[in-house]
Amino acid sequence: MTDSTPTSSVGSSRVKRGLAEMLKGGVIMDVVNAEQARIAEDAGAVAVMALERVPADIRSQGGVARMSDPDLIDGIISAVSIPVMAKARIGHFVEAQILQALDVDYIDESEVLSPADYVNHIDKWNFTVPFVCGATNLGEALRRINEGAAMIRSKGEAGTGDVSEATKHIRKILGEIRALSSMAPDELYVASKELQAPYELVVEIAETGKLPVVLFTAGGVATPADAAMMMQLGADGVFVGSGVFKSGDPAARAAAIVKATTFYDDPQVIAEASRGLGEAMVGINVADLAAPHRLSERGW
Amino acid sequence: MAGNSGLNDLVGSAAGAGARSSTGSASSAGSGSSAGSGLAPVGVLALQGDYREHADVLRSFGADVITVRRPSELAQVSGLVIPGGESSVIDKLSRMFGLADPLTEAIAAGLPVYGTCAGLIMLADTVLDGIEGQQSLGGLDIAVRRNAFGSQKESFEVDIDIPALGAPAVHAVFIRAPVVEQVGERASILGALDDGRVIAVEQGNLLGTSFHPEMTDDYRFHRRFYDRVLSVGFHS
């Protein structure tokens, strides 16, 4: 199949960033097996994220969380035709090599798993498959982009069902972009230093007023209203982790979150979508989490 | 879907676009085509995908662009772009929110439509490899295969000669792209890869490409679509 492609370039930045462009306005759902993947696809997910345990379970069960078993990932890839993403540990470039060999469509270098390197992230330029990475602020987003990330998601606090951290992070990232846009050119040198981000990227953001890659939001989205709020705040789309499959009626909730994401600015549609969904996932207030249990503080 | 919404729509576009569309509104609502200076806005289907990029391209031509998520918005447009995205999602949402039937009717009535990637899939009469229950709007006498090149690793960019557009070649970006596997009598081929696989087609007022001109700086396909919109002067 590959051989028949004429002289052309694969794995370019445009192609890597391009897939994320096509996911905009959509919902990407965490799934742990083929059956959940099919439910997500039926409900209108634009992509699924394969992982071994959803964040809520990682949180409650503890221990080291790693890349999924390749059999599980293969099972999910063959169950659906929408793009399949999968998570690798921060800095674990061999897990990423394995995921690329398995033909996943996107790799999430994710703080939800236990970090494999507390200093370095993966050099993502070395891969043909694109990466999405989490960020809590603009500097972190730009460091990931500098390492080759082709998509950013604000981190939020995964596995809590508490949307407050997602709100904080998307507001922070977009607010810092707005601040850059209003700066004089000679102020950007210090801005680069303060953001701990490459000067060239800082200048680009100041000029364009947006990230050079798609920005989704994640971590604590549990209801149609949460998803619509993230879109109104300026996210390009949403990741829903434990929020779907830890709820009372995953298929209905998943479809409702998809509708609310498309019609994020129409309260009538969001109200209709919010009816009769049964129990939302049981939440944990982020404020009650001791600092060592906050996943969003992983990654640097 | 014609009557009331057609009127609303002319009022709406007069408010939005100022002088350009204010002249014809009172009289042309019922009278159909060739409204002269009162051209209705061009729509971009905005259920999911890279619709903002398409809207930006069309606005660079000076077009009055609206996003389309509801039948009342569809009823206003003189042409429509169906963007790249996930075709199974665009299909599902278009049926869920009552857009699919009016869209099919508008296409049959001659609405100029340009579909890229997922949009091409939506315009195909036959979709191979769809998800269970996936439907398309139809209109193009072709059969399309989704994700024809494999996973994202195989996504690529390449220069392709498109004789209808002349020189230079089009720099085409393929993202988990479909290909046209069968071309019926009514559709004509605008472009193919070196191995012969068809990736651009046209039929009457419908245009479809497997790739994404909106991700490059070469807008000749959009221009071709927009010229058609201007010459047809479609009103629902």
Side-chain angles (χ1 to χ4, degrees):
Chain A
M1 199 179 273
T2 328
D3 299 335
S4 57
T5 302
T7 46
S8 62
S9 52
V10 296
S12 63
S13 279
R14 178 144 58 189
V15 159
K16 288 176 169 179
R17 294 173 178 186
L19 178 55
E21 298 285 343
M22 301 312 142
L23 303 176
K24 285 191 298 192
V27 182
I28 300 169
M29 300 181 195
D30 277 3
V31 298
V32 299
N33 56 42
E35 187 198 345
Q36 288 186 355
R38 272 189 291 266
I39 291 171
E41 183 178 60
D42 280 347
V46 286
V48 291
M49 173 73 72
L51 71 175
E52 190 179 35
R53 293 174 283 169
V54 294
D57 288 335
I58 291 174
R59 220 171 249 300
S60 63
Q61 294 162 6
V64 174
R66 311 180 177 89
M67 179 192 82
S68 299
D69 186 311
D71 281 345
L72 268 174
I73 293 171
D74 282 347
I76 290 167
I77 289 175
S78 48
V80 296
S81 64
I82 56 177
V84 175
M85 301 182 164
K87 286 187 193 288
R89 285 179 269 178
I90 289 174
H92 206 314
F93 51 87
V94 173
E95 283 189 349
Q97 290 164 5
I98 292 169
L99 293 174
Q100 175 163 286
L102 292 173
D103 273 347
V104 304
D105 295 298
Y106 240 92
I107 295 173
D108 184 0
E109 185 181 17
S110 178
E111 71 283 358
V112 168
L113 306 184
S114 308
D117 186 332
Y118 279 91
V119 179
N120 304 290
H121 281 250
I122 297 170
D123 182 352
K124 293 165 273 286
W125 297 113
N126 287 337
F127 291 79
T128 307
V129 66
F131 281 72
V132 55
C133 290
T136 58
N137 56 56
L138 180 59
E140 196 176 0
L142 296 183
R143 289 193 291 280
R144 297 294 87 76
I145 292 168
N146 193 44
E147 296 156 2
M151 177 179 188
I152 295 293
R153 55 172 174 73
S154 61
K155 283 180 181 173
E157 190 55 44
T160 60
D162 179 348
V163 80
S164 64
E165 290 291 290
T167 305
K168 182 162 98 187
H169 298 155
I170 193 80
R171 278 193 184 276
K172 176 88 173 165
I173 293 169
L174 295 172
E176 288 179 325
I177 291 174
R178 284 190 294 272
L180 279 188
S181 301
S182 67
M183 282 182 191
D186 64 355
E187 293 169 338
L188 296 176
Y189 299 102
V190 171
S192 162
K193 185 192 78 178
E194 286 172 351
L195 288 168
Q196 298 181 278
Y199 173 72
E200 293 71 24
L201 278 173
V202 168
V203 171
E204 183 183 342
I205 306 299
E207 282 170 358
T208 62
K210 61 188 179 76
L211 288 183
V213 302
V214 165
L215 173 64
F216 270 46
T217 192
V221 174
T223 68
D226 290 348
M229 180 175 167
M230 294 301 114
M231 296 298 288
Q232 287 197 26
L233 284 172
D236 289 321
V238 296
F239 284 87
V240 183
S242 319
V244 169
F245 289 101
K246 283 288 160 187
S247 73
D249 186 347
R253 183 164 294 267
I257 292 175
V258 169
K259 283 184 216 171
T261 301
T262 290
F263 288 90
Y264 65 91
D265 55 354
D266 187 333
Q268 282 304 123
V269 175
I270 304 166
E272 277 311 307
S274 302
R275 287 180 202 275
L277 297 179
E279 290 286 307
M281 71 177 283
V282 178
I284 305 170
N285 287 306
V286 172
D288 298 338
L289 281 177
H293 299 296
R294 294 192 186 166
L295 304 177
S296 63
E297 291 171 14
R298 296 169 169 176
W300 24 89
Chain B
M1 79 184 204
N4 287 336
S5 43
L7 246 175
N8 288 341
D9 137 66
L10 283 166
V11 173
S13 68
R20 203 160 63 78
S21 52
S22 60
T23 47
S25 52
S27 60
S28 66
S31 67
S33 59
S34 68
S37 62
L39 185 73
V42 183
V44 181
L45 191 66
L47 294 170
Q48 191 271 314
D50 71 334
Y51 52 85
R52 242 176 287 149
E53 285 64 26
H54 283 284
D56 289 346
V57 175
L58 295 169
R59 286 196 182 101
S60 77
F61 299 156
D64 176 18
V65 181
I66 64 169
T67 54
V68 172
R69 289 178 296 179
R70 304 172 179 85
S72 60
E73 291 156 350
L74 176 64
Q76 302 178 30
V77 302
S78 57
L80 184 73
V81 171
I82 306 182
E86 178 46 52
S87 63
S88 62
V89 175
I90 294 174
D91 163 45
K92 209 175 298 277
L93 289 169
S94 70
R95 284 187 279 135
M96 203 178 281
F97 289 94
L99 258 179
D101 288 340
L103 258 170
T104 305
E105 287 162 23
I107 290 168
L111 178 73
V113 184
Y114 174 30
T116 62
C117 197
L120 169 70
I121 295 169
M122 291 301 294
L123 286 176
D125 281 345
T126 306
V127 179
L128 308 167
D129 272 5
I131 74 166
E132 196 182 328
Q134 182 167 349
Q135 299 173 20
S136 63
L137 302 165
L140 285 173
D141 183 13
I142 57 172
V144 162
R145 182 171 298 281
R146 292 170 73 223
N147 305 341
F149 299 91
S151 74
Q152 168 64 13
K153 260 191 335 201
E154 321 298 340
S155 293
F156 63 101
E157 13 184 339
V158 68
D159 289 334
I160 298 172
D161 280 320
I162 306 287
L165 298 181
V170 167
H171 188 71
V173 182
F174 292 81
I175 314 263
R176 281 175 50 99
V179 296
V180 180
E181 278 204 356
Q182 295 155 32
V183 182
E185 280 177 4
R186 286 169 294 142
S188 51
I189 298 170
L190 290 185
L193 295 171
D194 286 347
D195 61 13
R197 282 187 286 181
V198 175
I199 41 72
V201 293
E202 190 170 45
Q203 178 181 332
N205 295 337
L206 305 178
L207 180 62
T209 58
S210 300
F211 51 91
H212 297 278
E214 77 280 8
M215 295 186 64
T216 70
D217 297 328
D218 184 345
Y219 302 143
R220 283 176 291 168
F221 273 101
H222 286 85
R223 188 76 236 184
R224 190 177 179 86
F225 157 74
Y226 189 57
D227 285 346
R228 179 73 67 148
V229 171
L230 293 176
S231 67
V232 169
F234 184 87
H235 283 260
S236 56

